[in-house]
Amino acid sequence: MPSFLIPPLKILLIGLAGVVVLLAARLAGLGLGPLFAAPSNLAAVLVFFVGIGFAAFLWWLASRCFTLLRDPATTPEQLAALRELPLALPEGTVRALLALIVGVIGLPLLLFSQSLALNDAVAGYVNGIIAGVFGYYFGARSTTPEAQAARRLGDALESQNRANEALRNSEAAARAAVEVAQHPNHVADSMAKLERHLGVARILVQRLGPALPPGLIPPQAGALLEQAEKVLAAARSLPDLGTLQAATAILIGRDGPFPALLRAAAPLLPAVAGGPLGGVALLLSLGWSLGAAAWTRFRARLLDAPHDPTLFEPGAISPASAELRLAEAPIFARLFTARAAEPGFLASLLDACLRPDAAERLWARFPGFASPAEAEAGLTEFRRALLEERVEADLTPELVARINQSLSGAAPALRPDPQSRALLPQQGSDEARAALQALTLLLGEMRESRTDPALILVELAP
Amino acid sequence: MRAALFLLLAGCTPVAALLDPPLAQLARWETATPAEIAAEPVVCPPGHAACARLHTRRAEACMGLAMASRAPGAACPATREHLPCAVQSFAAARAPVPNPVLAANEAQARLCLAELMAPAAGAAEAVQAATAIAESSPQRVPLLAARAALIAARPGAGHDSQRCAATLTGLRIAPPGSREAADLARRRASIPDCGETP
């Protein structure tokens, strides 16, 4: 017999068995008359059968539970999950069962309260119980979104929002460019442009400047900023297009703080097609477009931040992968390349490097370092290589192509080659590194204020 | 077994242990720590319904202990401890009935074991993991296969032609944009006559 016929057949046979019992009772002279003699008798029988019905239902559920327990395919996780559930039943079953009992018994009691000669007080109690149970049952129907899924969704959404915002900004910039071309004397546009560049200059001169090596920000930048602030304040009451444009030209020109910092950081990206300045511009725009997790890695790489395990996905780095990073870490490459084929060596090395006390472990367990300082330097190189691989993977060719497109309207020096691939900065002078780190911090501020650096970059004249 | 199950449920564990030792072991492991489970071999006659669950329970315990010793971010532990137990138990657990989750876990344990071997032995272990990888859940196959290919392509794992073939196979299946895909591309570039140089 086909298996799908068994359940309905079972129900039919159970029903037939009930009918047979009733017929037998009738043949034996046991009539059902007394049952209908008084409504309260009928209610009592109803409650009795409902109780029997629920007992049978629970028996059926228990038998299914035993079937599950006996099933070899049931995993320990599933069993553990069952243990945490009320009566080892799927979540909500007990709640639904209670609601059903109250509903199936309580509603008829309420509806037939007159026939059952219940007084108003009892009917009121029953009504209260039903309302309470149903209110709780439907009120408690809420779901808890899975935290990891929500985080990934949030990240994807943020990334998408940034992409959308970049598109909107590009469109707005294009419209603004058309508007300016049609109405070159538009004062409001000039004021907005000056405000944009003043915002960047304030961060660089007032907040980051004091911490930077002398000379990175031009000495006259403070005075220029003060002058531009005055021009903007004056323009609010009495706009003067010529003064506005002159103040803006100084900020975005060669002596402005932002162009000066871009030039200072450029030597770190000498190999980028389109020129080093284009490389920095590309890097900043890429950083702005990244999602939250990728931005954290990108910032850590550019700031040479200390190792943070949360930058890597759990369980992501295998020893075979670490072997490839050896070549990018000169100290480790010199000391350990010959030992890489030893059984378990790479796994031990990677394990030590990913621990919080990595430098001490390396010095204590891996002979060859000249000093603890060299062990620490080797560790820094190796961790940097691990992080760099992830950051490079975050900068996808599609993203690079999109950013190249958005910078196509920038000054020629800031325009990356359309075919260029993003390159991360190389080692360079302390000044260049400080400049790039200042630009990274500026980029963080721009991400906070949702200001696309591409919009600022296309207006620069370095 | 049914009688033992009822006795177990009724709390008569000693009697149940006499009637059905595997079921009693399973009941004992419900409250045992992973270390206790890993230390106790499975005692189960072939064909007993509880065997698969016992092996699964032990495999999970061994794998959990092995993975718990990993450094933050590392894919594999630094020592072999518990990995052979995990491999054998996962293999025994999925022997009666194919199970993609158990197969993926077995593959992962085998690959970690391979990472701890010399390149040639590791490549052989990665080949053994191929069966488990093939039976894994589809979403885990690309990553596991790519990691296996990376192990098989290590310097010293075989002739350059074999390493190159492993790399190309891995590149075809590796998840796009993954660390493994980038690693395989880099590895391919380092093998003579196997494609582009970086």
Side-chain angles (χ1 to χ4, degrees):
Chain A
M1 181 188 294
S3 60
F4 67 89
L5 285 178
I6 294 173
L9 207 61
K10 270 187 181 173
I11 294 170
L12 197 66
L13 288 174
I14 290 168
L16 281 175
V19 171
V20 167
V21 169
L22 285 176
L23 283 175
R26 194 165 203 164
L27 288 174
L30 300 170
L32 299 174
L35 275 183
F36 300 102
S40 55
N41 290 354
L42 188 60
V45 170
L46 179 68
V47 170
F48 174 73
F49 278 114
V50 167
I52 293 290
F54 279 111
F57 182 56
L58 280 173
W59 179 263
W60 176 72
L61 284 174
S63 74
R64 282 176 63 89
C65 190
F66 283 129
T67 309
L68 188 71
L69 283 172
R70 283 195 295 265
D71 187 358
T74 308
T75 63
E77 287 84 4
Q78 287 170 325
L79 288 178
L82 276 178
R83 270 207 304 273
E84 289 168 7
L85 293 169
L87 293 183
L89 292 172
E91 195 178 350
T93 310
V94 172
R95 220 162 36 206
L97 204 63
L98 289 174
L100 269 174
I101 291 173
V102 172
V104 169
I105 295 176
L107 279 176
L109 282 181
L110 195 63
L111 288 173
F112 300 109
S113 56
Q114 295 296 325
S115 311
L116 296 171
L118 299 178
N119 61 36
D120 287 349
V122 175
Y125 296 147
V126 174
N127 184 26
I129 292 169
I130 293 172
V133 169
F134 276 77
Y136 170 76
Y137 178 71
F138 289 106
R141 300 293 302 159
S142 62
T143 56
T144 308
E146 208 261 307
Q148 198 180 11
R151 183 172 53 77
R152 286 186 181 160
L153 189 61
D155 208 19
L157 275 174
E158 189 186 336
S159 191
Q160 189 60 41
N161 281 341
R162 286 192 177 279
N164 290 342
E165 205 163 327
L167 280 175
R168 275 199 301 275
N169 288 340
S170 301
E171 190 191 352
R175 283 178 191 281
V178 171
E179 184 76 12
V180 167
Q182 288 169 349
H183 307 283
N185 297 329
H186 209 293
V187 173
D189 287 338
S190 298
M191 281 180 69
K193 188 174 176 181
L194 180 56
E195 271 186 40
R196 276 198 296 276
H197 291 281
L198 261 176
V200 172
R202 272 188 217 114
I203 296 172
L204 291 178
V205 175
Q206 295 173 348
R207 289 170 58 184
L208 301 176
L212 291 174
L216 274 185
I217 303 277
Q220 71 277 17
L224 292 177
L225 178 65
E226 202 175 325
Q227 188 186 344
E229 297 273 19
K230 282 179 186 164
V231 168
L232 185 65
R236 287 202 172 104
S237 53
L238 186 63
D240 179 353
L241 187 63
T243 322
L244 278 172
Q245 287 176 337
T248 309
I250 292 171
L251 283 183
I252 66 176
R254 188 171 175 77
D255 293 331
F258 194 20
L261 216 51
L262 285 173
R263 278 198 311 279
L268 296 179
L269 292 132
V272 176
L277 265 184
V280 181
L282 177 64
L283 206 61
L284 292 183
S285 296
L286 283 170
W288 193 84
S289 303
L290 293 172
W295 160 247
T296 312
R297 286 191 284 268
F298 184 84
R299 186 183 54 189
R301 167 66 184 84
L302 295 192
L303 292 178
D304 281 332
H307 175 71
D308 177 2
T310 60
L311 294 174
F312 301 98
E313 290 165 29
I317 311 170
S318 66
S321 176
E323 186 177 21
L324 286 157
R325 307 281 97 74
L326 277 184
E328 295 154 28
I331 296 175
F332 276 21
R334 174 171 54 82
L335 294 176
F336 301 137
T337 302
R339 297 185 61 191
E342 290 175 19
F345 177 79
L346 283 171
S348 304
L349 181 67
L350 178 65
D351 185 83
C353 290
L354 294 175
R355 301 277 177 188
D357 56 345
E360 292 81 13
R361 281 175 183 253
L362 280 174
W363 174 244
R365 299 183 190 174
F366 294 86
F369 293 110
S371 64
E374 191 186 40
E376 192 149 357
L379 176 67
T380 305
E381 286 174 356
F382 185 67
R383 283 174 166 177
R384 185 190 173 96
L386 288 174
L387 179 60
E388 187 147 313
E389 187 280 325
R390 267 303 73 200
V391 176
E392 279 176 353
D394 290 333
L395 307 178
T396 60
E398 297 76 22
L399 181 63
V400 175
R402 185 156 61 80
I403 299 303
N404 273 331
Q405 178 65 27
S406 71
L407 288 172
S408 59
L414 286 168
R415 212 178 293 161
D417 187 292
Q419 304 302 320
S420 71
R421 285 190 66 248
L423 283 180
L424 290 171
Q426 302 167 0
Q427 293 294 336
S429 66
D430 288 346
E431 284 76 19
R433 283 174 52 211
L436 189 68
Q437 289 177 356
L439 288 172
T440 308
L441 294 172
L442 171 70
L443 184 58
E445 297 278 348
M446 290 172 122
R447 281 176 63 95
E448 289 290 317
S449 62
R450 297 197 169 271
T451 307
D452 187 351
L455 282 182
I456 308 284
L457 287 164
V458 294
E459 291 172 345
L460 293 182
Chain B
M1 181 183 165
R2 185 181 287 265
L5 184 67
F6 282 118
L7 284 168
L8 208 63
L9 291 170
C12 305
T13 311
V15 182
L18 283 175
L19 288 176
D20 196 336
L23 203 62
Q25 188 174 31
L26 195 59
R28 204 166 51 248
W29 281 3
E30 286 300 312
T31 52
T33 63
E36 288 167 346
I37 295 171
E40 187 180 343
V42 172
V43 181
C44 195
H48 194 287
C51 290
R53 195 148 354 112
L54 279 168
H55 286 299
T56 305
R57 194 91 178 84
R58 186 156 186 260
E60 297 289 355
C62 293
M63 190 73 165
L65 287 169
M67 294 298 153
S69 68
R70 288 180 301 178
C76 291
T79 62
R80 288 171 54 91
E81 199 179 6
H82 300 302
L83 281 175
C85 154
V87 168
Q88 287 156 15
S89 301
F90 276 126
R94 68 186 188 88
V97 184
N99 184 321
V101 176
L102 297 181
N105 288 343
E106 183 192 331
Q108 191 185 352
R110 280 191 187 279
L111 292 179
C112 281
L113 208 51
E115 296 272 19
L116 292 161
M117 297 172 171
E125 186 66 40
V127 169
Q128 287 206 333
T131 316
I133 293 172
E135 290 176 19
S136 302
S137 38
Q139 65 270 27
R140 292 185 68 182
V141 168
L143 184 73
L144 291 169
R147 284 191 175 168
L150 207 53
I151 292 169
R154 286 185 62 197
H159 296 301
D160 283 352
S161 58
Q162 293 170 321
R163 293 171 57 217
C164 181
T167 311
L168 295 176
T169 308
L171 272 172
R172 273 197 294 277
I173 200 167
S178 64
R179 177 184 286 274
E180 285 69 21
D183 286 345
L184 282 165
R186 191 173 284 261
R187 180 59 80 200
R188 184 182 68 168
S190 73
I191 301 172
D193 303 322
C194 192
E196 306 150 18
T197 50

